[in-house]
Amino acid sequence: MAVDATLPYDNQNIFAKILRGEIPCKQVYEDEFAFAFHDINPQAPTHILVVPKGPYVSWDDFSRHADDAEIAGFIRAVGKVARDAGLVERGYRLLANAGPDSHQEVPHLHVHIFAGQPLGPMLAR
Ligand code: 5GP
């Protein structure tokens, strides 16, 4: 079911539990601002999720309320994860669902990194 991204942050969401180490994940990267791990149900040969460490529901929440250091740190982390995974030469796609039409399922901001094959058109029609 899609998330209502206008709701307050729920610290029992699955990515909050992953950040606290309460449930396992295949970790890719961690720094002060961001944490990255492989998606449990990959939609491409490489499918990594990058989340900010702070409690932000969505891109809208993050871009409104995060401070400049959090935003810069998170954006740099997304780029570093892609570089470290060797994705720059062939390319990759970033996606962040926000709000009902996007069908965001987990109410903690996450950026998907897809790569490893030609990714086709931007949206299915
Ligand atoms: P959304 O639809 O919210 O943009 O994407 C949520 C993503 O989280 C989905 O791609 C889904 O496969 C992934 N996901 C959901 N639960 C888990 C989990 O427990 N572990 C991991 N690694 N990924 C998850």
Side-chain angles (χ1 to χ4, degrees), residues 64-107:
R64 282 174 194 258
H65 299 123
D67 67 32
D68 289 356
E70 289 177 293
I71 291 173
F74 180 66
I75 299 290
R76 288 196 187 280
V78 173
K80 179 167 173 51
V81 167
R83 270 194 307 282
D84 289 355
L87 307 182
V88 172
E89 188 177 341
R90 286 200 49 196
Y92 58 93
R93 179 171 294 162
L94 303 180
L95 183 147
N97 290 315
D101 276 356
S102 76
H103 210 77
Q104 180 183 359
E105 287 179 353
V106 179

Side-chain angles (χ1 to χ4, degrees), residues 14-15 18 23-26 37-43 47 49 95-97 102-106 110 112:
I14 199 91
F15 293 168
I18 286 175
I23 62 169
C25 71
K26 285 162 70 177
F37 51 98
H38 291 283
D39 196 289
I40 204 167
N41 183 25
Q43 305 294 311
H47 185 174
L49 301 171
L95 183 147
N97 290 315
S102 76
H103 210 77
Q104 180 183 359
E105 287 179 353
V106 179
H110 46 285
H112 299 255

